[in-house]
Amino acid sequence: LGARGGTTARPGRDASKMRSRALVGLLIAATHALPKPRRSPAALRRGGSAVAEASPAAVAPQNPLPNVNETATAHAWTTAEALKKLRADPEAGLAPDEVERRKAVFGDNVLVGAARKTKWAMLLDQFDDRLVQILVGVAAVSGALGVLDAHDATAWVDPVVICLILASNAAVGVWQEASADGALDALKKLQPDRCCARRGGAWDGEVAAADLVPGDVVYLRVGDKVPADCRLLQLRTSAFATDEAALTGESVTSSKKVEVLRDPALALAERQNTAFAGTVVTRGQATGVVAATGMSTQIGRIQAGVDAAAADKEKTPLAKKLDEFGHQLTNIIGAVCAATFCAAAPRFGSPIFGGNKLRGAMHYAKGAVALGVAAIPEGLPAVITLCLSLGTRRMARRRVVVRRLPSVETLGCTSVICSDKTGTLTTNAMTAVALLLPDGGGGVREIKVEGKSYDPTDGGLFGEAPGLVDRDAAALKSAAVCAFCNDAQLAKDPETGGFVRVGEPTEAALRVLAEKLGAPKALEADCADLDDASAWQRAAVCWRSAAARTATLEFDRGRKSMSVVCSDKTLYVKGAPDSIIARCATIRDPSTGKAVPLDDDTRKRVTLKVNELARRPLRCLAFATRGSLPSVVEGYAPGDSLPKALDGAEAHEALESDLCLEGVAGIRDPPRPEAKVAIAKCRAAGVRVFMITGDSRETAVAIGEELGILEAGRGGDRAWEGAAFFADESEAGEATRAALLAPEAGDGVFCRTAPADKQRIIKLLADAHGDVTAMTGDGVND
């Protein structure tokens, strides 16, 4: 399996043929329907010779493919049931004619958005305002009277000025709305252009993602974007994980398995046997059968929600006030003009009109209209537009794009802000914030690690002088574990200059920690490549030159650890603290560097400290090493036949025994430094804040308390899980929910929420309490 986009072929494809194939362009607009009725054998025979020559058994009616509602619960199918329902063959894949038949039923695997507004539609929307409509009417009447009174040169002044005001108001509104409409484009960026699928008995690495249909068997590996919702069939490696932050809000990757999950109502974050479209594979390789494509995928359902939210437009507070003002003005001016005209009725036949009552009536009608024009503040729309435009310019300087002008004023009326957590209130960059090292006295000491991003130069080890790895043997070994037990890479984004990760978020955090710990001076002195290394990758270059990985023992759920054998004849291990500490026989003495026995008292003190980190809550990873390895393992080199000591889960567990404990790291997605200040300002301004996240309850409550959304120590009272919050659909349940979200109840936190839950929460705030709610987040559903 070669690198995507290079000259290396996928399984079953030679490189030259792969290079010669052209990419099939993404097809737009396809409606998703339920499976078509089965055609008669005669109709099938008309469709192709292969069917015509088939035996009667071959053309027997088949069970229809599952519909949208059925594939939404594909996680509740066994692998055999999934293959049977989707009529899929993991060895042969789908034949080309079958692919075309299914595409005719399900359409292309693309997201289809609502038709974009034309400029004419946007222009007409600018006149959906009572005051503007009054001005249009006045301009029309003034123009008609100007035609009748052609000898008066000033008769056209009023209609021309009013029309110019209306035209400028409409032009600004159309420009603002057209410049910020990109929700569908953001969603489409989550979809890959091509993928690796089983077609005609062979793997094809150049299948256009838009051509996938339910029943296709796809191959997924590290770095791939999942092209459709897939029920996993087989893990090709011992571990397989995807990054679902854009879909579920989880700040850590989701480990996958193939076993069936019988609860059809499981939350997306708990569907561990399904890979969702738009998510990214961060670990391992696997095969899966496509269960849903296009708008039937979970990301497609988000797109449908985006379209529904865009269509469900409510007038802003300013628009409502202007409409009310317009109604009152219409009634008052209409009454005054009518009264003026009626009061002049006895003078219609005045001698100055030559006794012509029609001429007199027109004269006084013009007077009444002129009075109405004088009373209407025709400059008000222009002044409002100008003020809002100035507001959008001020917002633009703060990197805020405003699509509709009245939205600026609506921000001033906001009473509730609902915010996503991952990437909005937090940095969405898993960061090591604590490091436990043996203290040499039967316990461990905690070192605070500074920094809130993947930038290795952002912060350091608080209270520690440079060169810790030269003074502390446990710190040296911990740094080595972080460097060697790691497949993640750091890189600089050429556009933003910021640091990004490639691989698991937790491994990227350990890569940053290794850089902050640094490499020992002796290793730096022997490293020939150090002169060409940037400041943020010096440790990685040094450790790479010190030893090479000869074997990798992949992560396994049973032993909850992974390890590597290096050319320095050492096994480096990282994993869950409870699993690692249980297999450790010794602990590193920081001053002498020797491995000393790990007695029960020391083990208990270490465990208590680890539990304290977990309650913050931090994700903890323990580091350990083993220096005395079997000779067949020490002599093993890549390319040799695999020895029994490295083959299989039991062998891996046996090798990862009699370990020496080196340290424990505490990792989390840290809050943004400015978020707590912003929330305090909101509270001072009378604006309530609700955090809505797909993350776990423990993590959400801890972040909520740290940011000041929840009261410290009592945060659990104002934290709810999305499914449980909406479980009671009765009127009593609705009343209870309304009471929980009442203004006097204060702020709150929602966890384990699906994108649809966010819409329900905001609608409940508006309907029950009349709140004007702002939603902020970095996800497309936000």
Side-chain angles (χ1 to χ4, degrees), residues 110-272:
V110 295
L111 296 181
V112 183
R116 289 179 182 257
K117 262 189 182 179
T118 64
K119 293 294 191 296
W120 284 111
M122 293 181 188
L123 183 63
L124 290 176
D125 279 351
Q126 309 308 313
F127 293 90
D128 186 20
D129 180 273
R130 178 52 60 93
L131 193 59
V132 172
Q133 291 167 357
I134 293 173
L135 289 174
V136 170
V138 169
V141 173
S142 297
L145 293 177
V147 171
L148 295 174
D149 199 6
H151 64 276
D152 186 357
T154 63
W156 289 96
V157 173
D158 282 351
V160 169
V161 170
I162 295 172
C163 288
L164 288 175
I165 291 171
L166 292 172
S168 63
N169 177 67
V172 172
V174 169
W175 176 77
Q176 286 287 144
E177 187 169 353
S179 64
D181 193 11
L184 178 60
D185 296 334
L187 277 166
K188 284 185 175 178
K189 288 179 182 177
L190 297 177
Q191 292 186 302
D193 292 330
R194 53 199 172 106
C195 61
C196 183
R198 195 83 171 172
R199 292 283 175 87
W203 289 110
D204 187 347
E206 291 294 314
V207 174
D211 291 339
L212 286 182
V213 294
D216 261 321
V217 177
V218 296
Y219 196 102
L220 304 171
R221 60 172 192 164
V222 173
D224 284 352
K225 285 184 178 179
V226 181
D229 284 1
C230 303
R231 171 63 167 92
L232 295 179
L233 299 175
Q234 181 185 18
L235 303 189
R236 296 294 184 95
T237 52
S238 59
F240 182 77
T242 59
D243 184 352
E244 299 177 352
L247 185 65
T248 65
E250 287 277 4
S251 54
V252 295
T253 55
S254 175
S255 295
K256 298 296 182 180
K257 60 182 182 180
V258 297
E259 289 78 12
V260 65
L261 302 168
R262 286 301 184 185
D263 183 1
L266 273 180
L268 294 184
E270 298 173 3
R271 299 183 186 182
Q272 294 176 300

Side-chain angles (χ1 to χ4, degrees), residues 52-64:
E53 296 170 3
S55 65
V59 297
Q62 292 180 307
N63 293 328

Side-chain angles (χ1 to χ4, degrees), residues 523-541:
L523 198 58
E524 290 183 346
D526 294 338
C527 182
D529 300 328
L530 196 59
D531 293 338
D532 298 329
S534 301
W536 53 272
Q537 56 183 1
R538 291 174 64 85
V541 172

